[in-house]
Amino acid sequence: MNTDRYTGQILDLLDGKLSDEKKNILLKEIQANPELQAVYNSLKETHEEIASLPLESPGPHFTSRVMDQVALVPVNSPFSWQGLILFVGVLLCLLITMLYMGRLPALELATLPEEYTLLNNSISMDWLKQVINVKMIGRVLLFISFVLAMFIFDQAVLRPFFQRKKGYTV
Amino acid sequence: MDVDQLTDIDIIARVLSGEKDLFKGLVERYQDYVYTLALRILKNKAEAEEAAQDTFIKAYKSLALFKKEAKFSTWIYRIACNTAISYRRKWKKHENIDIIKISDNKADDIRDSVEYGDKKRFVRQAIDSLSQEEAMLITLFYFKDLSMEEISSITSLKVSTAKVKLFRARKKLGEVLRHILKEEVLNL
């Protein structure tokens, strides 16, 4: 006889999860079948033995050893570096998005002024224009921000997520 | 006021406000549970004690991050499970040797247990024959006041998966016991 299908019911019976009606039906079946009775007895015995198994205790100086170590370590403050990094990351991403959505065309068109007035003296910017490429600087800054945002995303979201999955973290 | 009369949340609040020594109350309250859990996963007393100690230090360090609406027991068991599992990974090579040794002597150990009528020792050995996950689930299931939802949160398993794995573990334990009882009858 395949008793497998009864195992679940027997465990439910032992955990007190069966209704009175189902319990009576099952007990009658168990009484009528010696093989099922053997399964029931072994599961019941295992259940009772484990339930009555006392908790194990560590060595006698366990508490004092823990407290000695506790005395040496500070409690972490609720301030979380990860939270801060995440916050900065979100800000950075927003900034990039805003720049891309609204400011990028302006960046593309950005040029240095023809001349710059300092203390009532006009300074010609022609020479500076030849040296500085504003568009290129804008693009480089955008690229650096993107790389930074990816790094922060990895540190603050991906890494903690996979570490939690693997059970490494607290 | 006696520490025993304080709730876990009260102790945590007072530890965080500077009364470090009150953490002792939490250690004493949960050390047997944490140690039992670590022992069932690691199957080695020295390692289990080290893991249990580490669990409390980790909990202390992260006490400020504990959410007051959660149960401290569930939180500390989760730390204990994760710590024991990472210890097990660390000691994997040693563990393989131990497993071989245990398997070689298993039959003798079991016979001894039955002969001496020491059922509790036998049940402990039967639990040791389970995988770390099965042993962890069985141990948590028989800890008082833990629902399947809490067990699933401690073990990071889905409730349905935890139920299925627990069912298999209990069935396996039952089968081991039945097998031994048959052996006992044959040996009489």
Side-chain angles (χ1 to χ4, degrees):
Chain A
M1 180 194 180
N2 183 7
T3 54
D4 279 0
R5 69 185 187 94
Y6 286 100
T7 309
Q9 285 186 57
I10 293 171
L11 289 174
D12 282 344
L13 172 73
L14 296 172
D15 294 339
K17 287 179 187 169
L18 281 191
S19 65
D20 285 346
E21 190 190 351
K22 283 184 180 174
K23 186 177 158 184
N24 290 333
I25 296 170
L26 184 62
L27 284 172
K28 272 179 193 168
E29 284 188 70
I30 290 168
Q31 275 178 343
N33 186 326
E35 201 179 340
L36 203 56
Q37 201 157 19
V39 175
Y40 171 73
N41 288 339
S42 76
L43 285 173
K44 187 170 179 268
E45 195 165 4
T46 312
H47 175 77
E48 285 168 354
E49 287 294 336
I50 300 176
S52 67
L53 213 56
L55 290 170
E56 310 283 347
S57 294
H61 305 296
F62 181 82
T63 312
S64 55
R65 277 204 305 274
V66 172
M67 291 312 288
D68 286 348
Q69 288 200 40
V70 159
L72 303 173
V73 290
V75 181
N76 284 347
S77 72
F79 169 79
S80 147
W81 278 107
Q82 260 177 21
L84 181 71
I85 292 172
L86 188 63
F87 177 70
V88 173
V90 169
L91 270 186
L92 211 60
C93 289
L94 271 175
L95 203 71
I96 294 169
T97 314
M98 278 168 65
L99 203 65
Y100 186 76
M101 302 291 284
R103 300 279 180 178
L104 200 55
L107 192 74
E108 287 295 314
L109 299 171
T111 53
L112 286 169
E114 290 298 321
E115 55 178 37
Y116 184 70
T117 308
L118 182 70
L119 299 171
N120 294 327
N121 293 319
S122 287
I123 303 165
S124 171
M125 301 293 276
D126 282 347
W127 62 275
L128 206 58
K129 269 187 178 176
Q130 287 170 2
V131 181
I132 302 173
N133 185 337
V134 180
K135 285 176 203 165
M136 183 58 76
I137 291 173
R139 282 179 190 151
V140 169
L141 280 175
L142 209 61
F143 179 72
I144 291 171
S145 303
F146 179 73
V147 171
L148 255 175
M150 286 297 111
F151 174 73
I152 288 165
F153 180 66
D154 172 63
Q155 290 292 313
V157 180
L158 295 181
R159 216 167 272 249
F161 173 75
F162 285 109
Q163 281 182 345
R164 256 199 309 277
K165 270 247 170 196
K166 287 179 180 174
Y168 289 147
T169 54
V170 166
Chain B
M1 191 189 235
D2 192 14
V3 185
D4 293 341
Q5 290 173 308
L6 295 173
T7 64
D8 294 348
I9 302 296
D10 292 338
I11 295 178
I12 292 166
R14 286 175 64 171
V15 170
L16 289 175
S17 64
E19 293 180 75
K20 261 187 169 187
D21 289 345
L22 282 181
F23 189 69
K24 194 180 173 185
L26 289 177
V27 178
E28 283 170 347
R29 205 170 280 178
Y30 290 101
Q31 63 180 17
D32 287 356
Y33 289 95
V34 167
Y35 176 70
T36 303
L37 199 49
L39 185 62
R40 298 267 167 84
I41 294 170
L42 292 163
K43 307 174 199 306
N44 177 301
K45 285 185 177 180
E47 280 176 29
E49 191 149 334
E50 208 180 313
Q53 205 170 310
D54 208 9
T55 298
F56 284 107
I57 305 298
K58 281 182 184 174
Y60 178 76
K61 282 183 183 170
S62 310
L63 211 54
L65 307 173
F66 171 71
K67 290 170 188 164
K68 283 170 189 164
E69 60 271 19
K71 263 168 85 178
F72 180 75
S73 58
T74 312
W75 189 64
I76 194 101
Y77 297 156
R78 188 172 185 182
I79 301 174
C81 288
N82 289 340
T83 307
I85 289 167
S86 61
Y87 266 67
R88 195 165 167 121
R89 280 197 197 107
K90 205 166 96 182
W91 296 104
K92 214 169 184 178
K93 284 181 185 173
H94 296 276
E95 181 216 14
N96 287 341
I97 296 163
D98 287 344
I99 281 173
I100 293 163
K101 280 180 186 168
I102 289 167
S103 310
D104 285 348
N105 297 324
K106 210 177 200 174
D108 291 339
D109 288 348
I110 289 167
R111 206 168 296 126
D112 286 350
S113 302
V114 175
E115 276 174 16
Y116 290 110
D118 188 358
K119 275 189 187 170
K120 295 224 179 322
R121 201 179 127 206
F122 165 67
V123 173
R124 282 194 187 103
Q125 283 173 353
I127 295 174
D128 282 348
S129 74
L130 299 175
S131 71
Q132 67 167 45
E133 195 176 51
E134 288 169 334
M136 179 168 75
L137 284 166
I138 287 274
T139 307
L140 288 168
F141 182 74
Y142 284 98
F143 274 0
K144 281 170 192 166
D145 303 328
L146 280 182
S147 64
M148 267 325 285
E149 284 72 21
E150 284 170 326
I151 292 174
S152 102
S153 131
I154 293 166
T155 54
S156 306
L157 291 170
K158 284 180 186 170
V159 177
S160 54
T161 313
K163 273 183 186 171
V164 170
K165 289 190 172 183
L166 181 67
F167 167 76
R168 285 186 193 147
R170 293 176 81 189
K171 192 179 153 196
K172 195 167 156 184
L173 269 182
E175 280 166 2
V176 171
L177 186 72
R178 200 149 43 117
H179 176 73
I180 299 308
L181 288 173
K182 268 185 193 171
E183 255 191 15
E184 190 191 16
V185 172
L186 288 172
N187 287 334
L188 281 174

